[in-house]
C-alpha cells in the first residue's frame, strides 16, 4: 500500500528545490499532486515529468486571486484537497539588516508568511468535515538565526508560530498542521542565503551542521511524506527539524 494512496495534495514552489522533491515523492506514494509555482514553465515541466497524477499551475502565493484559483483548479482536476504544503519561499540576500529595503522586506513577508494565511482561507473550508493536513516549510533560520538574514529569519519564526496556533485551532476539525525546519539545503536558494557562493563560505555553513552535510530535497520530502501520511495521525503542531543536528 502506498503511503498517500487516494490523497490529493497541493505543493507550492514545487517547480524547484525542496518543493519539487516533495511533489515527486508524494506522487510516487500514490497522491494526486498540484504542482504550483510562480514560474509557470517550471511548474508545467515538473508536472509533465511526474506524469498523469500531476498538474502544473502558475500562481503567485502572495496574491489571493492566484491562491484561490490554484485551489479551485486542483479540486476541479482531482475532486478534493487533502494536503497543502506551503513550501514556496524567498529570501533577501545575506547582508546587514539595515541594507534591506522596505519593498524587499514586504515581499519576503508576503511570500513566506501571508501565503499561509491565504491558503488557509482557501483550503480550510474544503477540509472541514473531511479532515486534512497542512505542512508549512519553516527553517532552522527561525530557531537558530544566523546574522545577515534577520528579516528572512523572522518570517520563519512567524511560520512556526502560525503552525502551532493553526494546529490548536483546527484540531477539533481533524485538520493537522505541522512545520518542517530544514537546515541549509542544496537548492538554487542556497547561494542567496550564503551571500556569496565560495568554497570557504560553504565550509563555514557546513561546519555548523553536526552530520556534516547540507540537506537535500529528498531529506525534506521524506519528512513531509511522514507528516502528510496517516502514520502521523496523532502528530500536530510540531516544528520538525530536518537539520543534521544544527539546532542542538
Ligand atoms: N534551501 C535552503 O537552504 C532552505 C533551508 C531552510 C528552509 N528553506 C525553505 O524551503 C522552501 C523552498 O526553498 P528552496 O530552497 O527549495 O528554494 P528554490 O528557490 O529552489 O524553490 C522555491 C520555489 O518557489 C517558487 N516561488 C518563489 N516565489 C513564489 C511565489 N510568490 N509564488 C509561488 N512560487 C514561488 C520559485 O519559483 C521556486 O520554484 C522555502 O520556503 C525556503 O525558505 C530553504
Amino acid at each position: 500500500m502506498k503511503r498517500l494512496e487516494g490523497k490529493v495534495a497541493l505543493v507550492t514552489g514545487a517547480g524547484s528545490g525542496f518543493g519539487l522533491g516533495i511533489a515527486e515523492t508524494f506522487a510516487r506514494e500514490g497522491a494526486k499532486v498540484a504542482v504550483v509555482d510562480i514560474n509557470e514553465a517550471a511548474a508545467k515541466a515538473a508536472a509533465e515529468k511526474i506524469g498523469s497524477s500531476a498538474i502544473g499551475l502558475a500562481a503567485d502565493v502572495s496574491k489571493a486571486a492566484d491562491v484561490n484559483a490554484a485551489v479551485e483548479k486542483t479540486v476541479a482536476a482531482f475532486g478534493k484537497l487533502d494536503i497543502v504544503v506551503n513550501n514556496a519561499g524567498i529570501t533577501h540576500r545575506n547582508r546587514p539588516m539595515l541594507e534591506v529595503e522596505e519593498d524587499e522586506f514586504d515581499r519576503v513577508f508576503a511570500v513566506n508568511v501571508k501565503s499561509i494565511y491565504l491558503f488557509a482561507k482557501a483550503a480550510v473550508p474544503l477540509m472541514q468535515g473531511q479532515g486534512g493536513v497542512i505542512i508549512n516549510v519553516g527553517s532552522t533560520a527561525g530557531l537558530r538565526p544566523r546574522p545577515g538574514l534577520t528579516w528572512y529569519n523572522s518570517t520563519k519564526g512567524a511560520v512556526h508560530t502560525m503552525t502551532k496556533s493553526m494546529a490548536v485551532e483546527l484540531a477539533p476539525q481533524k485538520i493537522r498542521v505541522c512545520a518542517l525546519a530544514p537546515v541549509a539545503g542544496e537548492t538554487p536558494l542556497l547561494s542567496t542565503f550564503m551571500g556569496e557562493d565560495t568554497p570557504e563560505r560553504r565550509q563555514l555553513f557546513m561546519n555548523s551542521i553536526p552530520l556534516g552535510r547540507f540537506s537535500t530535497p529528498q531529506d525534506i520530502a521524506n519528512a513531509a511524506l511522514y507528516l502528510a501520511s496517516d502514520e502521523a495521525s496523532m502528530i500536530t503542531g510540531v516544528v520538525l527539524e530536518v537539520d543534521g543536528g544544527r539546532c542542538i
Side-chain angles (χ1 to χ4, degrees):
M1 173 82 173
K2 292 183 173 178
R3 293 162 74 186
L4 297 180
E5 197 70 59
K7 306 283 188 194
V8 176
L10 182 158
V11 184
T12 70
S16 167
F18 293 161
L20 177 56
I22 293 168
E24 288 175 334
T25 299
F26 280 17
R28 185 197 77 205
E29 289 298 329
K32 305 272 191 232
V33 184
V35 174
V36 175
D37 205 288
I38 197 168
N39 180 339
E40 182 168 17
K44 301 268 188 233
E48 204 161 299
K49 190 170 159 225
I50 291 170
S52 61
S53 56
I55 53 168
L57 301 173
D60 179 342
V61 297
S62 70
K63 302 229 158 33
D66 284 21
V67 168
N68 294 339
V71 168
E72 277 162 23
K73 285 177 189 164
T74 303
V75 174
F78 300 132
K80 60 173 182 162
L81 182 57
D82 302 297
I83 302 161
V84 172
V85 183
N86 288 305
N87 164 79
I90 57 170
T91 183
H92 52 86
R93 181 162 288 282
N94 189 317
R95 64 187 194 278
M97 57 186 242
L98 300 186
E99 291 181 11
V100 176
E101 297 301 336
E102 187 177 350
D103 57 348
E104 199 176 4
F105 174 97
D106 285 344
R107 183 69 185 149
V108 175
F109 264 82
V111 175
N112 295 6
V113 180
K114 187 182 179 189
S115 57
I116 296 177
Y117 159 79
L118 294 176
F119 269 100
K121 296 265 279 182
V124 167
L126 301 174
M127 294 176 172
Q128 282 162 339
Q130 65 158 49
V133 184
I134 298 171
I135 297 175
N136 300 322
V137 178
S139 175
T140 54
L143 300 168
R144 191 146 184 235
R146 294 178 196 270
L149 291 167
T150 287
W151 312 122
Y152 170 78
N153 296 339
S154 307
T155 66
K156 295 304 185 177
V159 170
H160 298 164
T161 302
M162 287 169 111
T163 299
K164 288 171 189 279
S165 194
M166 288 168 69
V168 282
E169 188 163 338
L170 297 176
Q173 296 157 52
K174 307 290 177 263
I175 300 170
R176 297 188 294 108
V177 188
C178 295
L180 295 172
V183 77
E186 293 281 10
T187 75
L189 209 50
L190 185 61
S191 63
T192 324
F193 285 130
M194 294 190 297
E196 45 172 357
D197 196 346
T198 60
E200 297 74 32
R201 199 93 176 117
R202 278 189 171 244
Q203 198 56 49
L204 196 73
F205 270 60
M206 193 95 83
N207 288 347
S208 69
I209 306 172
L211 281 180
R213 65 171 177 86
F214 291 125
S215 67
T216 65
Q218 194 61 59
D219 292 325
I220 309 312
N222 291 342
L225 172 61
Y226 168 64
L227 291 175
S229 76
D230 291 341
E231 294 158 33
S233 63
M234 192 54 178
I235 295 178
T236 196
V238 295
V239 177
L240 179 60
E241 294 152 26
V242 187
D243 72 343
R246 155 82 182 151
C247 288
I248 297 167

